[in-house]
Amino acid sequence: MRIPILKLHDILLVSIQWELDDQTALQFQEDLLQKIHETGAKGVVIDITAIDFIDSFIAKVLGDVIQMSKLMGTRVVITGIQPAVAITLVELGVSLNDITTALDFEKGLEKLKQELGD
Amino acid sequence: MRIPILKLHDILLVSIQWELDDQTALQFQEDLLQKIHETGAKGVVIDITAIDFIDSFIAKVLGDVIQMSKLMGTRVVITGIQPAVAITLVELGVSLNDITTALDFEKGLEKLKQELGD
């Protein structure tokens, strides 16, 4: 199972609409980095509204993919972080210090465009 | 396996990035109509760039979901129809007469916005 990544001009849009298993999460990490490389995308919005709960492995993969995307020169905005997910991320110490977040997809896209100076 | 449907303001975005099996196609039909109902979306862009080949069942489901969406008052734009897919659709007589199409996702979204008068 793979998570589709949409390209809209210089931004990639991802909506994770089901709980991730480990294999799907790793595949997503690989796919996203590959797509950033191929498209030269300036920003990524990842919506995780549908995820009610994440375990430590998925939290790590998510934190990693954000750091990796930033290393590649791409801004990442995470939207729709649910209360339980926020708790897990903080408790596990996943580094989301300098990550932009937003309530929903539309607001995330707006924030990203502002940051990119569009 | 389900196909994620992204909501961006009053438009739904769908990118089908792998060949559809029958069950996934039917599930997508149901999910899309449900999402149109929930969100009151005015338009849908479905990108099928990744589909190189479709069989008669998938062609019918695709034709049906377009007609159904229109019945619900939503405009549908299909983008990225590959040569072999265009051939199949015409040969099977799938009714796409009054369907808006575009080369890629960005152009499809532009066309849809024009049609919606944004």
Side-chain angles (χ1 to χ4, degrees):
Chain A
M1 194 160 69
R2 298 170 91 126
I3 296 170
I5 300 165
L6 280 71
K7 177 182 164 290
L8 197 62
H9 303 289
D10 49 5
I11 293 175
L12 300 179
L13 308 177
V14 183
S15 176
I16 298 174
Q17 303 196 334
W18 48 73
E19 306 294 319
L20 292 174
D21 60 63
D22 295 1
Q23 186 53 44
T24 306
L26 288 174
Q27 181 72 55
F28 167 63
Q29 188 178 79
E30 189 182 321
D31 287 350
L32 183 63
L33 299 179
Q34 181 62 31
K35 196 92 171 186
I36 289 171
H37 176 68
E38 274 170 24
T39 61
K42 290 191 211 161
V44 181
V45 184
I46 303 174
D47 182 67
I48 59 170
T49 306
I51 299 187
D52 298 319
F53 165 83
I54 56 172
D55 62 22
S56 59
F57 183 81
I58 302 292
K60 186 182 177 314
V61 172
L62 193 64
D64 285 353
V65 76
I66 293 167
Q67 300 301 326
M68 291 166 187
S69 302
K70 288 173 75 177
L71 281 178
M72 292 180 73
T74 305
R75 283 187 172 273
V76 179
V77 176
I78 305 287
T79 65
I81 296 181
Q82 301 287 328
V85 174
I87 291 167
T88 306
L89 289 172
V90 170
E91 283 185 348
L92 291 173
V94 174
S95 167
L96 294 173
N97 289 335
D98 42 1
I99 296 305
T100 307
T101 55
L103 202 64
D104 60 30
F105 207 64
E106 286 94 342
K107 291 196 181 74
L109 199 58
E110 270 167 37
K111 271 200 184 177
L112 184 58
K113 283 182 177 172
Q114 276 173 9
E115 288 190 0
L116 294 173
D118 285 357
Chain B
M1 195 160 69
R2 296 170 91 127
I3 296 170
I5 300 165
L6 280 68
K7 179 181 163 293
L8 196 62
H9 304 288
D10 50 5
I11 292 175
L12 300 179
L13 308 177
V14 183
S15 176
I16 298 174
Q17 303 195 334
W18 48 73
E19 306 294 321
L20 292 174
D21 60 60
D22 295 0
Q23 188 52 46
T24 306
L26 288 173
Q27 182 71 55
F28 167 63
Q29 189 178 79
E30 190 183 322
D31 288 350
L32 183 63
L33 299 179
Q34 182 60 32
K35 195 94 174 187
I36 289 171
H37 177 67
E38 275 171 23
T39 60
K42 288 193 212 160
V44 181
V45 184
I46 304 174
D47 182 66
I48 58 169
T49 306
I51 298 186
D52 297 320
F53 165 83
I54 56 171
D55 63 21
S56 58
F57 183 80
I58 302 293
K60 185 180 177 315
V61 173
L62 192 65
D64 285 354
V65 76
I66 293 168
Q67 300 300 327
M68 292 166 185
S69 302
K70 288 173 74 176
L71 280 178
M72 292 180 73
T74 304
R75 283 187 173 270
V76 179
V77 176
I78 305 287
T79 66
I81 297 181
Q82 300 288 327
V85 174
I87 291 167
T88 306
L89 289 172
V90 170
E91 283 184 348
L92 291 173
V94 173
S95 168
L96 294 173
N97 289 335
D98 42 1
I99 296 305
T100 306
T101 56
L103 202 63
D104 60 32
F105 207 64
E106 287 94 341
K107 292 196 181 74
L109 198 57
E110 271 168 36
K111 272 199 184 180
L112 184 58
K113 284 183 176 172
Q114 276 175 10
E115 288 189 0
L116 293 173
D118 284 356

